[in-house]
């Protein structure tokens, strides 16, 4: 039976393609984007996602493909980019991807209080939804998302049933198999009727995906580290744009690229690997540079080699601050200090130290993959060993304070090897909850004061933490104030309603007695 399943799946995929071509493409019309047709013929997983949602019924699947492809053409989904979306929509922070639920699914946030029903802007908002979903689907093919409807501080003017229906249709028709669940937080009782309609749109099979939560039970689905303070969480994330949200990390374009002082032979090899990496940036397969294992017999042989490394890293200082994580100690702790443009010392260093008894695999990703060379960017670290990661801007590109780096680490409890193939397979199979992440900001040192800034790194970190705590407390006070204002408005609304009903009742009684007397 197990052997027949792949064969049956392949037959269904082939039959779906044949039926779609026969039933919907005979007139050679331009109602579809040619890129979608090409993908349909080449991407088995894409076809399978539609089949799965339609329970492997080919006739229903081709109808779904027709509707989906027409929508993709209408919205120009393949061409959507940041420039396609009005800047104010990206700045307001009402729709974005950030964090993960307990099952490792990405969180897709809809902050309903930032939405105001307006027919003039509804198309732009729909395009923003499509932009995020298409962006995610291309990078994380097949991995579902958890839809987070945050209804805190929401009034009736924020409820737009047409927009909600569009979001539901995106997961039902346009991006099948991508919905893990819908978490609805802090829904006012007055909106119960609206969400009964939403249930009917979802259909009986998908109703079980709806999870109504409040502050007391939302942690059943999302850990506190990915919940904002108003949900009882500890996530310090604050939305801002530009750039796109902080956890939008990618593999560096010039992964394992050449460092200035390397010889021509290695530079040539690295440049060739850079070209391959450019083509593979959006895929999950990455070039991995395995580290050499350190043993007692190699210490003497590596003395001369370490001197060469020291000569390479003379141009930038060793980091002073240390983040002590459960798997790795990471230095610096929070900020990467690049040399000034005037000095020409634009490299910086990240030092990873394995504090476990097992090998730890790590990756380095960035929000600006086209800017940086990272060496190594994807490798492993032996127990008790340290690894120096050299970062340098690519070509003449400048470092920005908005750039971020992400260190991803996971413990290899029973490693089958640390070669490229083994590590690639490891990252595919490791559970999301086993991966430890740490983020680093970028900072360019002014040429006049490089030493003082570096030496006072810990002081800056302390002041940053203090200001973050104050900001967090202020946000909580503001949130409480908003809720009180909302409650006052509701009370006033109910009082006005009761007054109107009383006046109507009084008028009815007066007219009743007047008719009796007459």
């Amino acid at each position: 039976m197990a052997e027949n399943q792949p064969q049956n799946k392949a037959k269904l995929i082939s039959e779906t393609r044949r039926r779609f071509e026969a039933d919907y493409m005979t007139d050679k019309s331009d109602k579809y984007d040619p890129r979608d047709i090409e993908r349909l013929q080449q991407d088995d997983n894409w076809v399978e996602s539609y089949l799965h949602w339609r329970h492997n019924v080919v006739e229903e699947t081709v109808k779904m493909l027709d509707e989906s492809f027409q929508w993709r053409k209408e919205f120009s989904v393949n061409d959507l980019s940041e420039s396609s979306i009005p800047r104010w929509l990206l700045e307001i922070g009402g729709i974005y991807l950030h964090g993960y639920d307990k099952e490792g699914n990405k969180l897709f946030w809809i902050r309903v209080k930032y939405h105001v029903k307006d027919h003039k802007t509804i198309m732009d908002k729909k395009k923003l939804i499509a932009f995020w979903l298409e962006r995610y689907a291309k990078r994380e093919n097949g991995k579902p998302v958890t839809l987070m409807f945050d209804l805190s501080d929401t009034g009736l003017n924020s409820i737009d049933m047409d927009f909600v229906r569009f979001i539901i249709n995106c997961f039902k028709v346009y991006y099948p198999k991508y919905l893990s669940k819908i978490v609805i937080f802090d829904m006012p009782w007055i909106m119960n009727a609206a969400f009964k309609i939403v249930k009917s749109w979802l259909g009986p099979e998908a109703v079980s995906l709806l999870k109504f939560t409040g502050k007391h039970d939302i942690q059943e689905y999302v850990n506190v580290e990915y919940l904002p303070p108003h949900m009882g969480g500890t996530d310090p994330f604050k939305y801002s744009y530009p750039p796109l949200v902080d956890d939008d990390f990618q593999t560096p374009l010039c992964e394992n690229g050449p460092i200035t002082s390397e010889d021509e032979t290695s530079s040539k090899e690295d440049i060739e690997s850079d070209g391959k990496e450019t083509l593979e940036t959006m895929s999950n397969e990455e070039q991995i540079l395995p580290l050499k294992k350190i043993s007692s017999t190699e210490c003497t042989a590596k003395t001369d080699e370490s001197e060469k490394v020291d000569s390479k890293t003379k141009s930038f200082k060793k980091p002073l601050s240390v983040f002590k994580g459960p798997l790795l100690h990471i230095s610096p702790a929070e900020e990467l200090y690049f040399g000034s443009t005037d000095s020409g010392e634009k490299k910086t260093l990240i030092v990873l130290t394995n504090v476990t008894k097992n090998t730890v695999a790590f990756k380095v990703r960035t929000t600006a993959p086209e800017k940086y060379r990272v060496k190594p960017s994807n490798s492993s670290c032996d127990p008790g060993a340290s690894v120096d990661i050299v970062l340098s801007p690519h070509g003449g590109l400048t470092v920005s304070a908005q750039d971020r780096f992400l260190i991803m680490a996971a413990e290899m409890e029973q490693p089958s090897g640390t070669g490229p193939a083994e590590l690639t397979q490891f990252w595919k199979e490791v559970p999301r909850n086993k991966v430890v992440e740490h983020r680093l900001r970028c900072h360019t040192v002014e040429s006049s004061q490089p030493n003082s800034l570096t030496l006072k790194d810990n002081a800056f970190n302390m002041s940053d933490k203090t200001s973050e705590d104050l900001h967090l407390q202020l946000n909580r006070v503001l949130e409480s104030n908003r809720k009180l204002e909302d409650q006052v408005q509701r009370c006033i609304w109910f009082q006005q309603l009761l007054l109107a009903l009383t006046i109507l009742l009084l008028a009815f009684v007066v007219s009743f007695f007047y008719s009796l007397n007459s």
Side-chain angles (χ1 to χ4, degrees), residues 180-198:
S180 168
K181 53 186 164 290
I182 302 174
V183 178
I184 300 168
F185 177 78
D186 204 15
M187 186 181 74
W189 65 268
I190 202 166
M191 297 180 188
N192 282 334
F195 273 87
K196 285 181 180 178
I197 299 173
V198 172

Side-chain angles (χ1 to χ4, degrees), residues 318-323 329-333 335-336 349-353 440:
K318 288 277 185 179
L320 298 178
S321 58
V322 179
F323 168 78
H329 284 183
I330 301 173
S331 184
E335 288 194 339
L336 295 169
L349 193 69
I350 301 175
V351 181
L352 306 181
T353 303
L440 296 166

Side-chain angles (χ1 to χ4, degrees), residues 28 51 53 60 68 99 113 144 146 165 181 195 229 239 271 292 304 314 318 348 354 375 411 440 506 508:
K28 304 293 183 182
L51 279 165
W53 198 254
E60 294 296 320
S68 178
K113 71 177 182 179
T146 291
R165 186 167 193 171
K181 53 186 164 290
F195 273 87
Y239 183 91
I271 290 168
K292 295 179 181 178
D304 295 334
K314 274 182 182 178
K318 288 277 185 179
T348 192
N354 186 349
K375 184 174 183 177
E411 192 172 6
L440 296 166
L506 185 61
F508 176 77

Side-chain angles (χ1 to χ4, degrees), residues 416-479:
S416 57
T418 55
E422 290 84 0
L423 284 171
T424 299
Q425 189 63 29
F426 171 78
W427 283 110
K428 285 182 178 180
E429 297 175 352
V430 64
R432 181 76 210 180
N433 58 4
K434 297 289 185 182
V435 178
V436 177
E437 298 181 349
H438 184 66
R439 290 165 171 77
L440 296 166
R441 301 187 297 272
C442 290
H443 186 91
T444 304
V445 179
E446 297 295 333
S447 56
S448 59
Q449 296 179 325
N451 294 330
S452 60
L453 281 173
T454 305
L455 292 172
K456 293 181 180 179
D457 185 41
N458 287 327
F460 279 124
N461 291 337
M462 290 296 293
S463 63
D464 285 346
K465 290 178 181 177
T466 304
S467 63
E468 285 179 5
D469 290 340
L470 289 172
H471 191 75
L472 190 62
Q473 292 177 11
L474 179 60
N475 279 343
R476 287 174 179 169
V477 172
L478 291 173
E479 288 292 337

Side-chain angles (χ1 to χ4, degrees), residues 139-167:
R139 295 182 179 181
E140 303 289 348
N141 187 20
K143 293 184 180 180
V145 298
T146 291
L147 190 59
M148 299 287 290
F149 268 106
D150 182 3
L151 293 167
S152 55
D153 304 321
T154 299
L156 287 174
N157 62 330
S158 297
I159 299 301
D160 185 347
M161 298 308 292
D162 177 49
F163 187 52
V164 173
R165 186 167 193 171
F166 172 79
I167 296 172

